[in-house]
Amino acid sequence: MNKIGLCLIIFTLFASRLALAEEVTLSLEEAVVLALRDNSDILLKAEEIEKAKAKIAEANAALFPTLNFTSTYSQTLGLYSNNLSQDSFQLTLKEYLYKGGKIINTIEQNKQKLVVASLLLEKARLETVLKVKKAFLTLLLSQEFTKLNKEILDNTEKHLDSLKERYKKGEASESDILRIESPFAAAKEAFEAALSDVDATRELLRNLLYLSEEVNIKPKGEFIYSGRQIALSEAFLKALKERPEIKQYAAQEEADKKAIEIAKADARPSIYVSGDYYNRSHLSATEARNRNDYAVAGITLSWPIFDGWLTKAKIEQAISDLRQTQLTKEKIIKDIALELRQAYLGLKDALAKIRTKFSELLFFKDNFSVVKQKYEEGLASSLDLEDTALKYNLSLFNQKQAIYDYLLASADFEKASGESR
C-alpha cells in the first residue's frame, strides 16, 4: 500500500473519532496496515532492534583507545605557618592490542542478537497478520450470518401470520399454531445471538487495530475463492528458509558460540599500550612552590594464571546455553512440520467442502428458478417462492462459510510456511 493510501486511512480514523459511533469502512488490507502500525508487541520488538543496534555500537567502542583526564586539588591547613595548596592533573591514553578475542567475539555476538531481534519482530508481524485476518473474516461472516437469520426470522413470522389467518377461517388448528411458534421463538433467539456475535467479533477486531470504542468498524470485502495446489514437501522446505523461528534460533546458535569464545577469553592473555602525562605543583614548607610534569609510556601484558575455576564455570554455562538453543531449534523444526501438516490437511478439507457446497448451491439455484417460473405462471404462492429463496440463500451462505473456512486455513498455511501477506 502506498503512502497516500495509508494517509487516507489515518485521516478516516481521525475523523471517525470526532464523530461518535461513526462507521469506518475497512478492507482486509487496510486493517492489516493499521494493526502492524499500532500493535504494541510490534512496537516493543522494534525497540528491541534499536537496543540491539546500540549494543553493537557499545561493543565497537572497545576497538578505540580511551582517554581519561583526572584532576585533584588539596589544601593543607595548620601544619605550617602558612596554608599550602597543591593541584595536579593526569591524562591517560590506553589502547588494547589483544584481549583474548573478547572484543571481536562480543561484536559478532551482538550482531547475531540484532538478527534475533529482527526475526522476533517478523514473527510478531506474522502472528498479528494472522489474528487480524481471522477476526476480519469472522466479522464479515458474522454479518452474513446475521442477515441470513433475519431472513429466516421474517420467513417464519410470515408462515405464522399465514397460519393465524387460516386459523381464523377454521382451516388450521391451535396445535398447528403452537407447532410453528416454537421455531419462531428459536429463530428470534438465533437472530439475537447472531447480533451479539457480530458485536463481540467487532470488539475483538477493534482491539487488534487499537481503535477506540467510539469507532464502529464496517468490514468491506467478499468471500472469493481461488484454489491452488500445494505440495507439502515444498512448503516444508520453504518454511525452513522463511519461518522467523528457524532463522532466529540459527542466529541464536551463532551468538551462543561467540559467548563460549567470550568466556574463554577470560583465561587468555591481554595486551595493551598506554601513555600517561602528569602535571602537578610541588608542596614544600621551606621552598617556593613550582610545578613538575612528566610522561610515562609502556606496554602491558596480563595473563591470568588462576581464577578459582571462574572461567571454567563460565565456559560450561555458555556451552549449556548452546545445547539448549540447539535442542530448541530441533523442537521448533518438528513443531513447524506438525503445524504445516495440520494446516495442509485443513486446506485440503476446506477445498473439498467448497466443491460440495458449490454443487448444493447449483441445485438450490435451479430449484429457485423452477419455483419462480411457477410463481409467474400462478402455480405457486409468494410464500412458496420465499421458502425456495430462503433455501437458496441458506445454500449461498453455506458456500460463503466454506470459503471462509478455506481462507482461514489458507491464512494458517501461509503463516506456517512463513508467508506474510
Side-chain angles (χ1 to χ4, degrees):
M1 175 176 290
N2 55 35
K3 294 182 178 179
I4 296 177
L6 180 59
C7 290
L8 289 175
I9 297 174
I10 297 173
F11 175 77
T12 303
L13 293 178
F14 178 76
S16 68
R17 287 181 171 88
L18 297 179
L20 297 179
E22 182 178 350
E23 284 189 344
V24 176
T25 303
L26 290 176
S27 66
L28 177 57
E29 182 185 13
E30 292 167 340
V32 169
V33 169
L34 287 177
L36 293 178
R37 187 198 67 181
D38 295 333
N39 185 274
S40 59
D41 290 335
I42 292 176
L43 296 177
L44 287 172
K45 295 297 186 297
E47 287 299 321
E48 288 295 328
I49 290 178
E50 296 302 318
K51 181 179 178 181
K53 291 179 180 178
K55 292 292 289 184
I56 294 176
E58 176 186 339
N60 282 325
L63 295 173
F64 299 95
T66 60
L67 180 63
N68 294 321
F69 173 78
T70 305
S71 177
T72 60
Y73 174 82
S74 62
Q75 190 172 42
T76 303
L77 305 175
L79 182 61
Y80 305 102
S81 58
N82 296 322
N83 295 335
L84 301 177
S85 62
Q86 182 182 38
D87 63 87
S88 66
F89 69 87
Q90 173 185 347
L91 284 174
T92 301
L93 180 67
K94 185 176 182 180
E95 169 73 2
Y96 271 96
L97 301 179
Y98 179 68
K99 208 174 181 180
K102 189 171 187 176
I103 296 175
I104 297 300
N105 285 297
T106 300
I107 293 173
E108 292 301 318
Q109 181 193 41
N110 282 290
K111 287 181 179 179
Q112 294 300 326
K113 288 184 177 181
L114 173 60
V115 175
V116 171
S118 301
L119 293 168
L120 286 173
L121 173 61
E122 180 60 25
K123 179 183 176 183
R125 287 177 178 274
L126 284 173
E127 292 175 347
T128 299
V129 169
L130 181 62
K131 290 178 182 178
V132 171
K133 281 183 177 180
K134 288 187 173 183
F136 186 92
L137 293 172
T138 301
L139 178 57
L140 205 60
L141 185 70
S142 298
Q143 290 185 338
E144 294 290 337
F145 188 59
T146 301
K147 292 178 183 178
L148 178 64
N149 275 277
K150 185 64 169 63
E151 289 184 29
I152 293 174
L153 178 62
D154 292 342
N155 180 265
T156 306
E157 187 175 14
K158 289 181 180 179
H159 275 281
L160 180 60
D161 292 340
S162 174
L163 198 59
K164 286 180 178 180
E165 290 296 325
R166 292 177 57 196
Y167 173 75
K168 291 178 182 179
K169 297 177 182 179
E171 298 175 356
S173 65
E174 187 175 352
S175 298
D176 294 332
I177 296 178
L178 292 176
R179 277 196 299 269
I180 200 171
E181 281 183 343
S182 178
F184 175 73
K188 187 175 182 180
E189 182 181 353
F191 174 66
E192 293 174 352
L195 289 175
S196 298
D197 289 341
V198 170
D199 291 337
T201 309
R202 182 178 284 113
E203 180 64 24
L204 173 62
L205 182 59
R206 188 160 47 222
N207 288 338
L208 289 173
L209 302 185
Y210 289 82
L211 300 177
S212 64
E213 295 181 358
E214 292 79 15
V215 178
N216 185 24
I217 301 173
K218 183 179 180 182
K220 175 182 65 178
E222 298 179 358
F223 291 102
I224 301 175
Y225 156 70
S226 58
R228 59 175 181 174
Q229 297 296 326
I230 301 172
L232 181 58
S233 57
E234 293 179 1
F236 179 67
L237 292 175
K238 182 178 181 181
L240 291 180
K241 295 180 180 179
E242 301 298 331
R243 278 291 288 262
E245 296 93 329
I246 301 296
K247 298 178 182 178
Q248 170 195 342
Y249 282 99
Q252 185 63 51
E253 187 176 355
E254 293 300 318
D256 290 343
K257 291 178 181 178
K258 298 301 179 183
I260 295 175
E261 295 301 318
I262 293 171
K264 289 180 178 179
D266 290 339
R268 295 169 181 162
S270 61
I271 303 173
Y272 67 86
V273 294
S274 62
D276 295 273
Y277 172 75
Y278 300 90
N279 188 302
R280 65 186 179 188
S281 60
H282 182 69
L283 179 63
S284 172
T286 59
E287 299 178 4
R289 184 174 64 175
N290 58 2
R291 301 195 70 83
N292 295 329
D293 68 304
Y294 60 94
V296 177
I299 182 169
T300 302
L301 169 65
S302 175
W303 197 332
I305 303 302
F306 179 70
D307 61 0
W309 294 286
L310 175 63
T311 301
K312 180 176 180 293
K314 289 181 178 180
I315 294 173
E316 290 177 351
Q317 292 177 50
I319 292 174
S320 178
D321 289 338
L322 175 60
R323 289 173 180 168
Q324 289 180 9
T325 299
Q326 291 171 337
L327 291 171
T328 304
K329 181 181 176 182
E330 293 176 3
K331 180 180 180 299
I332 288 293
I333 292 176
K334 292 180 180 179
D335 291 343
I336 289 176
L338 176 61
E339 184 182 351
L340 269 170
R341 282 195 292 269
Q342 292 175 338
Y344 180 75
L345 292 175
L347 203 56
K348 286 183 63 178
D349 291 343
L351 289 171
K353 187 177 180 181
I354 285 177
R355 288 191 287 268
T356 301
K357 297 303 178 183
F358 182 73
S359 299
E360 293 178 359
L361 178 64
L362 292 178
F363 169 77
F364 285 106
K365 183 178 181 180
D366 179 71
N367 190 39
F368 174 69
S369 299
V370 172
V371 175
K372 185 178 180 181
Q373 181 66 30
K374 289 183 178 180
Y375 172 75
E376 292 174 352
E377 295 175 356
L379 301 177
S381 67
S382 60
L383 202 53
D384 292 332
L385 181 63
E386 288 188 11
D387 289 345
T388 309
L390 180 59
K391 292 178 181 178
Y392 171 67
N393 290 335
L394 179 60
S395 177
L396 187 62
F397 173 80
N398 288 336
Q399 186 194 35
K400 290 180 180 179
Q401 188 172 29
I403 296 175
Y404 162 82
D405 293 336
Y406 164 79
L407 292 175
L408 290 190
S410 180
D412 285 332
F413 191 85
E414 287 173 1
K415 188 262 182 183
S417 58
E419 295 183 22
S420 179
R421 296 184 180 180

